[in-house]
Amino acid sequence: MSKNQKAVRMLVEGALLVAVAQVLSYIKLWEMPWGGSICVGMLPIFLYAVRWGTGAGLMAGFVYGTLQFMFDGGFALGWQSILGDYLLAFTVLGLAGIFAGKKGGIFYGTLVGSLARFLVHYVVGATVWAEYMPENFFGMTMTSPWFYSALYNGFYMAIDCVLCLAIFAALYKPMNKYLTGSDIR
């Protein structure tokens, strides 16, 4: 495969996987009251990042974050929330690409990308969204926006991560060459 063919393949695959991510994001198993949901929309971004690397993954995450804001009912308080909860939070999913070409890369990448996204939502939740903290959440009295943000964002992010890991585990044996990117190396 020539360099140009590989570049075209990378762009086409990126466009398709971002589109699949957007479609999957509409299939919500649970939606939180102030944004965030349990779904597997991150899965195609992790796959793309682990196949093509960090740079391509970050770009795909950025495009996905932009689409999330535009088409998934972008719920933001201002520019800080738009930058944090959409553009930055989804861009960091591409950090999964750090593990491109490595054994178990899809699993480690999913963990790193999920943790990075959680950390962005956590900081934005504790700072930008702090004034909207309820008195009670999950049956507990809320006194700290940092604790509230950890519970709120950790709830759906942990489940999203586990779902992605479970799907990758189920697909790992039959689709190994695609999940590891060995078909393009």
Side-chain angles (χ1 to χ4, degrees):
M1 180 181 324
S2 75
K3 188 176 179 180
N4 285 341
Q5 287 173 317
K6 195 170 184 176
V8 169
R9 181 174 177 175
M10 180 177 71
L11 289 171
V12 170
E13 192 173 304
L16 287 171
L17 287 174
V18 167
V20 169
Q22 186 65 25
V23 169
L24 288 174
S25 77
Y26 295 130
I27 304 168
K28 297 175 180 166
L29 303 175
W30 175 266
E31 193 163 10
M32 300 294 284
W34 293 100
S37 60
I38 296 172
C39 70
V40 292
M42 305 185 297
L43 189 130
I45 306 302
F46 292 144
L47 176 61
Y48 182 71
V50 170
R51 288 176 55 76
W52 293 99
T54 308
L58 291 170
M59 182 55 75
F62 178 80
V63 172
Y64 178 49
T66 302
L67 292 174
Q68 282 293 287
F69 178 69
M70 291 171 45
F71 298 115
D72 199 32
F75 197 80
L77 291 174
W79 66 269
Q80 302 95 331
S81 181
I82 294 169
L83 286 177
D85 282 329
Y86 292 96
L87 302 182
L88 185 57
F90 289 97
T91 298
V92 298
L93 295 175
L95 292 175
I98 294 168
F99 298 96
K102 301 208 176 19
K103 185 173 174 71
I106 195 73
F107 301 109
Y108 295 120
T110 297
L111 289 170
V112 166
S114 295
L115 179 62
R117 180 176 167 204
F118 164 75
L119 289 173
V120 172
H121 285 307
Y122 171 63
V123 171
V124 173
T127 56
V128 176
W129 291 91
E131 65 184 278
Y132 295 95
M133 179 179 73
E135 289 183 25
N136 292 296
F137 187 69
F138 285 150
M140 294 179 270
T141 302
M142 294 292 110
T143 57
S144 165
W146 294 96
F147 181 66
Y148 168 65
S149 184
L151 284 177
Y152 186 98
N153 293 298
F155 173 72
Y156 71 89
M157 283 301 307
I159 296 171
D160 282 358
C161 180
V162 168
L163 286 173
C164 288
L165 288 170
I167 292 168
F168 285 139
L171 296 175
Y172 197 74
K173 203 167 194 174
M175 298 187 69
N176 185 283
K177 72 178 184 178
Y178 303 110
L179 296 178
T180 61
S182 63
D183 64 315
I184 57 174
R185 300 200 199 304

